[in-house]
């Protein structure tokens, strides 16, 4: 595989400074700023100074580019590109143009633990390797280049990696209603932080929301630039308007049978005592729990909250502590609704915002397990 792989110090230099698409748009020039020197990886016309009347268009283009993918995706793609660039530099391989043979050796290194840039024996999972390939393809495409993932040097190696290293998918444990109630009991209702966490857990569960959707909500429509939706409290419940992976959708969250487990009451209590009337719903509590900040929470806070509350409440206490800590994350709330709600599949699909019924069925794994006994049905 190594024969013919391009080498050369000039090709490998400046690897981590290679611009991503955000930088490419920025290099078009901003009003009042001097034009940047052209990058050797970009054609001259790409980095030419734009006329003054097009400067605002360049700014808008940059904003649209940022909106094309989530912040988490951009961070992952940037990190993966830097890792690949660094690996090419250490091996003396050229970064440009994309060479399937180089990429084939790269995924072999990270799959086998032969990557000298990571701790000895640190092998990456198949899903991580596949994401790295997607990252490389995306980064090359933003530079006007194409990485042929169907080339035998990549496709055949990847097929072998899947056959040898693929493992069954690890799904996060579904938080069922009795688990959620136990988790709520671990929260301090006398503090702002406890009220906020209570509202996040109930809203996330009842709405079947992703963690980014939970923290992305505002009190009302068009209140912040980074909003992913807003809430509207009605007589019978709460209407949540969301911009998710599959586009805009409305999520109906009905009132609970008891105020202690009602997501609407929990949210109203949090907003009232935190004195939030505009902007992000869920914010950081500061000043020893007595003050509420202005910025919205990071979605990682939802995952940490679910894990902390589940462990404290003793959910799945039949398992060792180390194993239990890996079971819970933000997705546990979403899975819990699908695994416990005894409703028609189409209603769950709409609530969760799934594009296909097959995806919804994967979420209903605990609810439907052993519901149909084919052993008895066959006469045994």
């Amino acid at each position: 595989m190594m024969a013919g792989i391009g080498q050369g110090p000039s090709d490998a230099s400046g690897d981590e400074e290679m611009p991503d698409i955000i930088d490419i748009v920025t290099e078009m020039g901003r009003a009042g700023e001097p034009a940047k020197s052209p990058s050797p990886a970009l054609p001259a016309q790409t980095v030419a100074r734009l006329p003054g009347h097009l400067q605002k268009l360049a700014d808008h283009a940059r904003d649209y580019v940022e909106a094309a993918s989530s912040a988490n995706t951009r961070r992952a793609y940037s990190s993966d590109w830097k890792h690949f660039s660094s690996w090419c530099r250490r091996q003396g391989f050229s970064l440009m143009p994309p060479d399937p043979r180089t990429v084939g050796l790269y995924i072999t290194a990270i799959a086998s633990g032969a990557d000298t840039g990571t701790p000895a024996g640190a092998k990456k999972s198949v899903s991580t390797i596949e994401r790295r390939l997607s990252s490389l393809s995306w980064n090359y495409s933003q530079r006007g280049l194409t990485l042929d993932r169907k080339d035998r040097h990549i496709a055949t190696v990847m097929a072998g990696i899947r056959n040898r290293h693929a493992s069954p998918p690890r799904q996060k444990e579904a938080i069922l209603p009795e688990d959620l109630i136990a988790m709520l009991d671990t929260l301090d209702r006398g503090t702002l932080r406890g009220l906020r966490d209570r509202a996040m857990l109930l809203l996330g569960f009842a709405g079947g929301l992703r963690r980014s959707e939970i923290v992305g909500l505002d009190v009302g429509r068009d209140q912040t630039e980074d909003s992913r939706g807003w809430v509207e409290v009605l007589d019978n419940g709460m209407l949540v308007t969301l911009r998710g992976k599959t586009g805009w959708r409305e999520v109906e969250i009905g009132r609970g049978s008891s105020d202690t487990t009602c997501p609407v009451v929990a949210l109203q209590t949090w907003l009232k005592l935190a004195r939030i009337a505009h902007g992000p719903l869920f914010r950081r509590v500061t000043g020893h729990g007595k003050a509420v900040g202005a910025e919205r929470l990071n979605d990682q806070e939802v995952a940490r909250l679910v894990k902390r509350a589940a462990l404290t409440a003793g959910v799945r206490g039949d398992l060792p502590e180390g194993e239990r800590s890996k079971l819970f994350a933000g997705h546990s709330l979403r899975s819990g609704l699908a695994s416990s709600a005894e409703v028609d599949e189409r209603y769950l699909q709409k609530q969760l915002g799934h594009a296909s019924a097959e995806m919804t069925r994967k979420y209903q794994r605990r609810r439907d397990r052993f519901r149909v006994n084919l052993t008895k049905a066959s006469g045994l």
Side-chain angles (χ1 to χ4, degrees), residues 80-358:
D80 291 343
W81 179 256
K82 288 180 179 180
H83 187 274
F84 175 63
S85 302
S86 178
W87 183 85
C88 285
R89 183 182 65 242
R90 294 196 305 272
Q91 307 306 321
F93 293 157
S94 61
L95 190 61
M96 299 290 174
D99 189 336
R101 292 167 295 183
T102 299
V103 175
L105 286 176
Y106 171 68
I107 61 177
T108 298
I110 58 180
S112 62
D115 177 14
T116 57
T118 57
K123 302 176 183 179
K124 298 299 182 182
S125 66
V126 173
S127 60
T128 298
I129 297 171
E130 289 177 334
R131 193 204 69 205
R132 292 269 177 96
L133 281 177
S134 296
S135 298
L136 297 185
S137 296
W138 186 89
N139 276 282
Y140 274 124
S141 70
Q142 305 313 311
R143 292 158 176 80
L145 302 170
T146 301
L147 174 64
D148 183 9
R149 292 179 59 175
K150 295 183 179 179
D151 184 282
R152 62 188 179 89
H153 295 95
I154 297 178
T156 306
V157 170
M158 196 64 221
I161 290 173
R162 291 192 188 98
N163 287 339
R164 177 166 294 185
H165 298 298
S167 57
R170 285 182 174 269
Q171 296 177 316
K172 293 302 180 182
E173 186 79 5
I175 295 294
L176 300 181
E178 57 269 26
D179 301 326
L180 181 61
I181 292 173
M183 291 164 62
L184 294 175
D185 288 340
T186 68
L187 305 177
D188 187 353
R189 297 189 193 182
T191 65
L192 286 174
R193 182 175 288 107
L195 294 175
R196 180 202 65 191
D197 292 350
R198 187 181 192 84
M200 284 201 296
L201 289 176
L202 284 168
L203 184 67
F205 181 90
L209 306 182
R210 300 177 177 89
R211 65 188 191 189
S212 60
E213 294 172 341
I214 296 173
V215 299
L217 290 172
D218 281 356
V219 177
R221 180 172 184 166
D222 299 331
Q223 293 185 343
T224 61
E225 292 185 359
D226 61 342
S227 170
R228 296 179 65 92
W230 65 93
V231 298
E232 183 181 2
V233 177
L234 306 173
D235 291 341
N236 295 326
M238 179 166 47
L239 185 64
V240 181
T241 304
L242 285 169
R243 184 180 71 244
K245 289 185 176 181
T246 56
W248 285 97
R249 76 181 195 275
E250 288 185 345
V251 175
E252 299 175 5
I253 299 179
R255 293 184 180 273
S257 55
S258 168
D259 284 354
T260 59
T261 58
C262 177
V264 182
V265 172
L267 182 63
Q268 289 179 311
T269 303
W270 155 246
L271 292 178
K272 178 180 179 180
L273 296 182
R275 298 181 180 179
I276 298 175
H278 186 277
L281 278 186
F282 299 115
R283 313 173 183 190
R284 192 170 303 280
V285 176
T286 60
H288 302 289
K290 297 181 180 179
V292 178
E295 301 296 324
R296 72 175 72 251
L297 285 180
N298 184 284
D299 63 350
Q300 293 288 341
E301 294 293 336
V302 178
R304 285 191 278 266
L305 167 62
V306 172
K307 177 175 291 191
R308 182 173 63 250
L311 294 178
T312 305
V315 181
R316 291 306 308 271
D318 56 309
L319 299 175
E321 189 71 17
E323 189 174 340
R324 289 177 62 220
S325 64
K326 300 177 183 179
L327 291 177
F328 306 104
H331 232 64
S332 297
L333 298 175
R334 190 168 161 85
S335 299
L337 177 70
S339 299
S340 56
E342 296 287 345
V343 297
D344 190 286
E345 181 183 274
R346 57 185 170 173
Y347 295 114
L348 270 176
Q349 182 179 346
K350 178 178 181 293
Q351 187 87 342
L352 298 177
H354 286 154
S356 68
E358 181 60 31

